[in-house]
Amino acid sequence: MLNAPDKRLALQAYEQILELILNGGAKPGELVNERRLADALNMSRTPVRDALLMLEGEGLLLRQGSRGLQVKQMRIEDYMDALQVRLLLEPAVARMAAGRLDAAAIADLRAQIAQAQAQTPGQPADRGLVRDIDEGLHGAISDAVENGQLSSIIRTMRRQTQMFDLRAMPERLDDTCREHLAILDAVEAGDGDAAAQAMAAHLSRVRDSIINRLARL
């Protein structure tokens, strides 16, 4: 088991490598090199190795025998499968989380959403901010039920769907903000049924947007 300092370094490496994957700095199908990553992150190879194992566990990296780890090439079927799992789990989790988020966390999430809504219309979305909002909202809701295994499953599925994000669907920014606010309103009010319905509606619209986008290609 990692001690606290080693765990912090591994988590730092994880976040930075995850950012590379989600931003396209490490492209689908590309082999990742542990030594080069360690040099780029100015870390020893141990926390980088631990971070890579975490990303492999989440399905974002695939082991290619002696060649090492490769960034997963996500197929549309993978996105849809992950969204289907999220549609099964997250509405139920939102129902369970209703009334269990503290006021400070809700206020922070609302402030982030307001910041995204204030962006200049027609300008590219700040993907980092949007991802922080998504991570904050969905993460806070899943963590509120205090079921570590459930939170881990949902986090892994979110990682899979984050790779098909506002780069592909920039028009989703305003809708996403409104949908997130509807979920927050219901959770804050302690209305489990409304929270579940708002979460299901949000994820269904994400799925439909992907299908519509692909139909136009």
Side-chain angles (χ1 to χ4, degrees), residues 93 96-97 100 139-152:
V93 169
M96 295 163 65
R100 299 178 67 172
I141 289 173
S142 62
D143 289 345
V145 304
E146 298 180 348
N147 183 319
Q149 292 190 51
L150 193 53
S151 294
S152 179

Side-chain angles (χ1 to χ4, degrees), residues 56-89:
E56 181 184 8
E58 291 185 351
L60 296 187
L61 297 177
L62 299 177
R63 191 163 296 278
Q64 301 297 321
S66 61
R67 298 175 64 210
L69 291 167
Q70 181 184 57
V71 179
K72 182 175 181 179
Q73 294 180 301
M74 294 290 290
R75 303 171 305 137
I76 189 59
E77 292 85 359
D78 296 323
Y79 296 120
M80 291 306 181
D81 288 349
L83 274 172
Q84 185 176 30
V85 174
R86 292 183 66 183
L87 269 163
L88 288 170
L89 293 181

Side-chain angles (χ1 to χ4, degrees), residues 2 6 10 34 43-51:
L2 297 176
D6 288 342
E34 182 183 302
M43 291 183 178
S44 70
R45 293 175 66 171
T46 298
V48 171
R49 184 180 305 119
D50 292 332

